[in-house]
Amino acid sequence: MGIIHTSRIKSPWIMHFDNSSCNGCDIEVLACLTPLYDVERFGIVNMGNPKHADVLVITGPVNRRTARVLKNLYAQVPDPKMVIAVGTCACSGGVFHNCYNILGGVDKVVPVDVYVPGCAARPEAIIDGVVLALQKLAQAQGVAK
Amino acid sequence: MNPFWIALIAVIVVPIIGGLLAGIDRKITARLQGRWGPPIVQPFFDFFKLLGKSRIATSRMQFVWIYGYLVFMIACLVFLVLKLDILLLVFLLGFAGVSFALGGFSCKSPYSHFGANRELLQMLSYEPVLLLMALGIYAQNGSFMISEIFNRSEPLLASLWPIFIALLVILTIKLRKSPFDISTSHHAHQELVKGIMTEYSGPYYALIQLTEWYEIVLLLGIIALFWANPLWVGILIALAAFILELFIDNIAARMTAGWMVRFSWAIGLVLCVLNIAYLYLMKGVS
């Protein structure tokens, strides 16, 4: 089964979900897909469909409405899957952490594998986050990276 | 050589060629957009990764149809490599398309239904042209057999070039390239989510990719038939047509489904009918 494990690391398809972010981190995630950073050379493709995705890239703090949507999306991603919280708000709630409608970071709702801090997170940091998630996946499967 | 072994080798080798063509497609598309692009073997990584994912089923019936899509496509390919009847090949290609559309209709997702409806419109626009292509080959050769094409010294392209142009339009529709990528889109995923492929995940999505690789090689093989003697000229023409499709894909935006049907009938059907009428009336082909 070596080729399947190698392929998992070579082709992470991401799905990008915006909880209730200010759109700053979302623009940075999309900047990764532009010709300047061109993450497709690592096999990363942005999918609009959770059923085809491997990596959930989540921005913004979770509020009471998006928690339900986030759980639903997480359940629809087939295993093995990784979750990356991008931006300070997604990591901990950020400046919104005491608001009445905010639950906090993404890890209050779904398990998070990699935290990418920053307000907004830089594209280089996001790409580093995806690479770190893949290294964790490789270690979990006992495959040398 | 035994026909069984020819068919078996084709069924094994063709997906590898198709996957490499898909990789070249992504590389050239990236270079045209000023990006570096993924490695050429990237489609194989995607394929094996999808094979290793967990199976989520929304409807059991869709898996029957997706296996039907694969089996009919392989049957088309066997017809091509064993040089059998081209009319039956066109019919089998139609069955494959119908299986795919029914797979889209067999689950409740509205995106999937949307994509399946658009897939049926695509079939409406390309099937008549493919049938007329078979008729044109009959008018020229007096036989539907592909082996007869290989026996002629004069290439089909000399007398059937209007049908060849119509076939280039059909190739764009069948490969789901812009401006005809209406049932599913390879790049703008957000509009349709993924159209007819929305409900397939994991190994079943890998099966669809495998079938698409068979389809690329099958269609390029049909194009190569237009210069079958010597065959290497035909293969060069087919590769040139493939590169042309990539350029059209990158310079064109998606058009509406109604426009697609009007365009392919207005250009494709008129070219085909004029070609066949010319062969029968002017040259006195009986």
Side-chain angles (χ1 to χ4, degrees), chain A residues 82-83 112-115 129-142 145:
Chain A
M82 306 296 278
V83 178
V112 176
D113 296 291
V114 174
Y115 297 91
V130 176
V131 171
L132 187 62
L134 294 177
Q135 279 173 357
K136 283 184 78 171
L137 187 66
Q139 276 173 5
Q141 292 174 341
K145 177 83 166 76

Side-chain angles (χ1 to χ4, degrees), chain A residues 15 17-21 56 58-76 83 90 100-111:
Chain A
M15 200 198 66
F17 178 63
D18 174 6
N19 275 308
S20 49
S21 111
L56 264 178
I58 302 169
T59 55
V62 182
N63 64 27
R64 292 186 195 279
R65 279 200 180 272
T66 56
R68 191 182 52 195
V69 181
L70 183 55
K71 273 182 203 159
N72 194 0
L73 283 177
Y74 183 76
Q76 285 189 46
V83 178
Y100 63 93
N101 60 340
I102 296 291
L103 293 175
V106 173
D107 49 8
K108 292 281 191 326
V109 181
V110 294

Side-chain angles (χ1 to χ4, degrees), chain A residues 1-8 143:
Chain A
M1 302 299 276
I3 189 159
I4 288 179
H5 290 327
T6 317
S7 303
R8 271 178 195 154
V143 186

Side-chain angles (χ1 to χ4, degrees), chain B residues 5 9 52 66 70 80 89 103 136 178-179 181 193 238 248 271:
Chain B
W5 291 111
I9 291 171
I66 209 64
L70 179 65
L80 185 69
L89 190 153
S178 298
D181 54 344
V193 182
I248 292 172
L271 281 175

Side-chain angles (χ1 to χ4, degrees), chain B residues 219-269:
Chain B
L219 291 168
L220 293 183
I222 290 176
I223 283 184
L225 283 184
F226 277 71
W227 201 303
N229 204 7
L231 189 59
W232 61 271
V233 181
I235 291 172
L236 282 184
I237 290 175
L239 286 178
F242 182 65
I243 304 290
L244 178 71
E245 297 304 333
L246 297 187
F247 273 95
I248 292 172
D249 185 28
N250 276 286
I251 61 175
R254 179 184 301 131
M255 300 299 275
T256 59
W259 180 83
M260 174 185 69
V261 179
R262 278 201 299 277
F263 181 80
S264 92
W265 282 34
I267 304 290
L269 281 189

Side-chain angles (χ1 to χ4, degrees), chain B residues 81-258:
Chain B
V81 293
L82 295 186
K83 300 176 183 173
L84 298 177
D85 201 325
I86 195 160
L87 189 65
L88 283 182
L89 190 153
V90 170
F91 287 153
L92 280 172
L93 204 57
F95 285 141
V98 168
S99 298
F100 192 37
L102 285 175
F105 277 126
S106 61
C107 45
K108 287 179 181 169
S109 158
Y111 289 112
S112 183
H113 276 232
F114 220 75
N117 275 319
R118 289 175 168 210
E119 179 73 24
L120 286 179
L121 273 176
Q122 285 192 343
M123 292 181 60
L124 182 69
S125 50
Y126 68 69
E127 282 295 331
V129 177
L130 282 179
L131 269 178
L132 286 177
M133 177 201 75
L135 286 185
I137 290 175
Y138 179 81
Q140 188 63 9
N141 276 349
S143 161
F144 280 119
M145 298 302 282
I146 296 175
S147 51
E148 288 293 315
I149 300 172
F150 281 88
N151 288 338
R152 290 166 52 89
S153 57
E154 185 199 354
L156 283 177
L157 192 60
S159 53
L160 294 181
W161 58 268
I163 290 185
F164 182 77
I165 295 172
L167 202 61
L168 287 182
V169 179
I170 299 311
L171 182 68
T172 321
I173 300 177
K174 279 296 275 181
L175 294 184
R176 302 192 180 87
K177 297 283 188 202
S178 298
F180 301 118
D181 54 344
I182 62 161
S183 79
T184 175
S185 53
H186 287 105
H187 299 292
H189 307 292
Q190 323 301 356
E191 180 203 340
L192 280 173
V193 182
K194 190 71 172 163
I196 192 168
M197 298 172 189
T198 303
E199 290 300 316
Y200 298 101
S201 62
Y204 302 105
Y205 190 49
L207 273 188
I208 292 185
Q209 289 206 331
L210 186 67
T211 316
E212 281 192 337
W213 297 347
Y214 276 115
E215 198 173 5
I216 295 176
V217 178
L218 176 76
L219 291 168
L220 293 183
I222 290 176
I223 283 184
L225 283 184
F226 277 71
W227 201 303
N229 204 7
L231 189 59
W232 61 271
V233 181
I235 291 172
L236 282 184
I237 290 175
L239 286 178
F242 182 65
I243 304 290
L244 178 71
E245 297 304 333
L246 297 187
F247 273 95
I248 292 172
D249 185 28
N250 276 286
I251 61 175
R254 179 184 301 131
M255 300 299 275
T256 59

Side-chain angles (χ1 to χ4, degrees), chain A residues 8 11 40 46 51-52 54, chain B residues 35 46 49 52-53 199:
Chain A
R8 271 178 195 154
S11 131
E40 204 191 344
N46 188 22
K51 289 179 180 169
H52 296 168
D54 307 300
Chain B
R35 295 186 285 122
D46 294 347
K49 175 205 70 176
K53 301 213 59 152
E199 290 300 316

